[in-house]
Structures are given as C-alpha cells and as structure tokens.
Amino acid sequence: MTNPFGGPARTAPGLPNLPTPPTGWPVGSYATYEEAQRAVDHLADADFPVRDVTIVGVDLMLVERVIGRLTWGRVLASGAASGAWFGLFVGLLLSLVSQGGDSFGPILLGLGFGLVFGLIFAAVTYGLSRGRRDFQSVSQLVAGRYDVLCQPRNAEKARELLAKLAMSGGPA
C-alpha cells in the first residue's frame, strides 16, 4: 500500500488510510495545543487507554509571520550559501568516484560552481519578482481551539480524569 506522495503508507494499525473526520465524544476543549497535549498526557499518566483519544484543531487558520526584510545582500548571500552546499555535495560525490589521486580538486570545483550558480539563480529569481515580496516569512497552521475527543466506551472516564486535572490547577 502506498500514500498519495508515492512512498509506503505510514499509518498506525487500525487507523484509516484516507483522510476521515474524527470520531468520538468531546471530553475537553482547550485554547492552546499545549493545554490539549497536557490533558492527553494526564490521561496517559493515569493509565487511560489513550488510543481512544484524538486532538482536533477547530477553526483552522494559516498564520504567516514576517521575520525580516529581503534585501539584495540577503538574497545573494542566501543563494550563494545554498549553491555552495549543493556544490560541495556534488564535489564530494565526484571525489569518491574520481580515478586521480587528487580528491580535493572535484570538491573545490563543485563548491565553486555551486556558489556561482546559486548566486546567479538567486539574483535572477529576486530580480524577476520586481520587489513584489520584499520580506521573509514562515507559515504555520494553527487552530482557534483544540478539542479532545474520546471514543464513547471510555468518554465518561476521560471526563472524570480531566475534571480532576482542572480542579488541581491544570488546563481547564
């Protein structure tokens, strides 16, 4: 069996292979993922069958956090660095299969060509953007709240354990 990305399927035994909505009864709702994780950890510490538990992110949002301004200097330095790494890798591979006694020649040649091509590629790509996106950012998928669901056979026990956690000062 394979996944949509071409590799072998990596699902736990008994879980569906296709995306399916979660099942179970709500046993807790939390403002942050950390609180939901702490609740499930509390269940696990109490020898609860956590295989029946699912954390569901509700009201999903894609959050893009701007981390810096792009400049020609940053673009060229980043392109040169990534090209140099790729060139170094290729040079190392070439040095392993080269017949001559000089193993540093292919490494230095790969490093140099990679640096130059990385620099050129970054400059062309950034130049073609014409300043339409002069910033760097990272994206993250977050939820408005995190619900903890449990299969009906153990939902009441989960609610009791989580109520005790809430009374002791843990997540609500």
Side-chain angles (χ1 to χ4, degrees):
M1 185 179 312
T2 62
N3 68 23
F5 303 110
R10 294 184 187 224
T11 58
L15 293 180
N17 290 328
L18 297 174
T20 58
T23 60
W25 292 353
V27 295
S29 188
Y30 304 94
T32 67
Y33 180 75
E34 183 181 18
E35 291 173 341
Q37 192 176 17
R38 196 174 321 137
V40 174
D41 188 48
H42 176 74
L43 294 173
D45 290 345
D47 290 329
F48 184 84
V50 291
R51 188 158 172 72
D52 287 351
V53 176
T54 304
I55 298 175
V56 180
V58 180
D59 298 329
L60 296 181
M61 301 172 264
L62 178 66
V63 178
E64 184 176 9
R65 300 187 198 284
V66 177
I67 58 173
R69 184 171 178 267
L70 272 183
T71 62
W72 273 104
R74 283 187 181 186
V75 168
L76 296 178
S78 174
S82 63
W85 275 113
F86 182 71
L88 179 64
F89 174 70
V90 171
L92 285 170
L93 290 178
L94 288 175
S95 72
L96 292 175
V97 297
S98 68
Q99 295 293 329
D102 182 24
S103 61
F104 287 113
I107 294 172
L108 293 176
L109 194 64
L111 184 66
F113 274 112
L115 189 141
V116 169
F117 281 111
L119 193 72
I120 291 169
F121 184 74
V124 168
T125 303
Y126 185 64
L128 290 175
S129 75
R130 296 190 181 124
R132 283 187 294 253
R133 189 175 164 91
D134 280 343
F135 61 91
Q136 290 177 298
S137 64
V138 292
S139 296
Q140 186 179 36
L141 194 62
V142 296
R145 77 173 193 273
Y146 297 88
D147 291 341
V148 175
L149 305 180
C150 183
Q151 293 304 313
R153 63 182 166 258
N154 289 313
E156 283 304 316
K157 177 72 173 163
R159 282 191 191 109
E160 290 172 19
L161 289 167
L162 294 178
K164 288 178 186 176
L165 176 65
M167 288 190 293
S168 70

